[in-house]
Amino acid sequence: MNTKVWKVDNYVDILENNPHIVDAAHFLRENEVVALPTETVYGLGGNAESDVAVAKIFAAKGRPGDNPLIIHIADWEQLCRFVAEIPETAERLMEAFWPGPLTIIFKKKQGVLSEKATAGLDSVGVRMPDHPVAISLLKACGLPIAAPSANSSGKPSPTHAEHVIEDLQGKIAGVLDAGPTGVGVESTVVDCTEAVPVILRPGGVTKEQLEEVIGEVRMDPALESGAGEGGLKPKSPGMKYRHYAPNAPLYLIDGSRSFLQELVDEKRREGLRVGVLTTEENKSEFSADVVIACGQRAELETVATELYDTLRRFNLEKVDVIFSEMFPRGGVGLAIMNRLEKAAGNKVISE
Ligand code: TXA
Ligand code: MG
């Protein structure tokens, strides 16, 4: 299949009737799948009401069928079509964070969405993306759009259109290229079917921000550091898979910079090509084959923005092993550490 690349500008006023968006919307209505930018990562979109379209999403990504997709909408009215009830906590979160990087799990109305899209669950995850191209596309096609991150299953999520092309060229109808995404980590997934809402996946909206709006919010206990390995089953099916992995083994280093440097030196003496994932503040402290600064430690949002691109750059650099700094878990740091732990398969070396 020839994968079209449609370059679009991010200016809202030129997006109305933009021929590329009209073209992409046409493919979506024909139950083809196209990649689209969102404020978090690129998504691989398809008609959420069509088994045919949804099957194409799973096939292109090589995604396990038990992992449900997030449904993307452009306005609140679309929600009533396929959501059974909107609890008050959800409504307050929608008002505060939509459009934005927050996915809310609702009870599902039966018989509207493709059963494949929700992996046969009686709940559904929904979000309204905060990206002019995504919203224009959703409006142009008039459909609820199922969209997982547009990477091959297991690889780091795509924050640039080039990442999508790297993974999915020839497997999808096209990609709307609007340049790099902003937030860099995926949306926060919060389950509002419980009396006290539960975070199933940390992401762009922080636990602290949610609590400011609705009070108490719990974390899925299966997300606590390392718990996934020990048997607790996460409620979000996607969280049980190894994910975001670079090609080389990645180790998280819980210790000083000199400890990390000793590990690098040891591996280099063995003849390995060693990569270090660090930050602007610390990069001059390390000597290794490849040292990449992933944002600034003092501003964790910048680390989130660059994280997946950094992981992919280590692949291009063909390193044999990667050692990474760790980050404080406050704010967006929680999502960063969750992704790094998954990318590392929970391999932590402590000083
Ligand atoms: O920022 C994002 O959320 C991006 C952009 C493209 O919107 N999408 C994304 O989708 O990250 P995906 O498929 O890579 O991750 C969706 C996560 C998975 O962990 C999945 O298991 C969970 O959401 N999920 C979806 N529906 C669910 C449900 N009904 N119950 C529990 N977890 C659900
Ligand atoms: Mg994903």
Side-chain angles (χ1 to χ4, degrees), residues 61 63 149 151 157 186 243:
K61 279 182 64 85
R63 181 176 174 110
S149 48
N151 51 287
S157 298
E186 299 88 337
H243 207 331

Side-chain angles (χ1 to χ4, degrees), residues 164-301:
V164 178
I165 292 163
E166 220 170 84
D167 282 13
L168 301 179
Q169 183 156 42
K171 298 180 176 173
I172 62 176
V175 50
L176 280 161
D177 176 357
T181 61
V183 178
V185 290
E186 299 88 337
S187 62
T188 302
V189 178
V190 61
D191 183 357
C192 284
T193 65
E194 312 255 353
V196 177
V198 184
I199 294 178
L200 305 185
R201 177 178 75 180
V205 174
T206 66
K207 182 166 189 276
E208 296 85 341
Q209 287 174 310
L210 295 174
E211 282 171 337
E212 256 173 50
V213 176
I214 53 168
E216 189 189 358
V217 175
R218 291 195 294 122
M219 285 292 291
D220 182 348
L223 296 186
E224 301 304 334
S225 170
E229 308 291 288
L232 272 183
K233 194 168 164 239
K235 191 167 174 194
S236 195
M239 299 304 284
K240 68 176 185 276
Y241 295 107
R242 177 144 190 253
H243 207 331
Y244 316 111
N247 296 341
L250 167 69
Y251 294 86
L252 306 184
I253 307 309
D254 188 8
S256 61
R257 292 191 291 261
S258 56
F259 177 66
L260 198 159
Q261 184 64 52
E262 279 167 31
L263 293 166
V264 171
D265 294 342
E266 193 184 309
K267 288 294 170 199
R268 291 183 88 192
R269 280 195 297 273
E270 290 171 20
L272 296 184
R273 184 168 160 79
V274 182
V276 173
L277 190 160
T278 177
T279 43
E280 292 295 343
E281 289 92 333
N282 292 342
K283 72 174 180 206
S284 61
E285 308 268 335
F286 295 111
S287 132
D289 298 288
V290 181
V291 177
I292 302 182
C294 178
Q296 297 157 46
R297 182 163 280 278
E299 232 183 294
L300 286 183
E301 286 73 19

Side-chain angles (χ1 to χ4, degrees), residues 116-146:
K116 286 195 170 78
T118 54
L121 298 176
D122 52 15
S123 62
V124 56
V126 189
R127 90 177 190 96
M128 188 186 289
D130 187 14
H131 194 292
V133 173
I135 290 291
S136 304
L137 180 66
L138 289 166
K139 286 188 173 153
C141 72
L143 296 165
I145 292 297

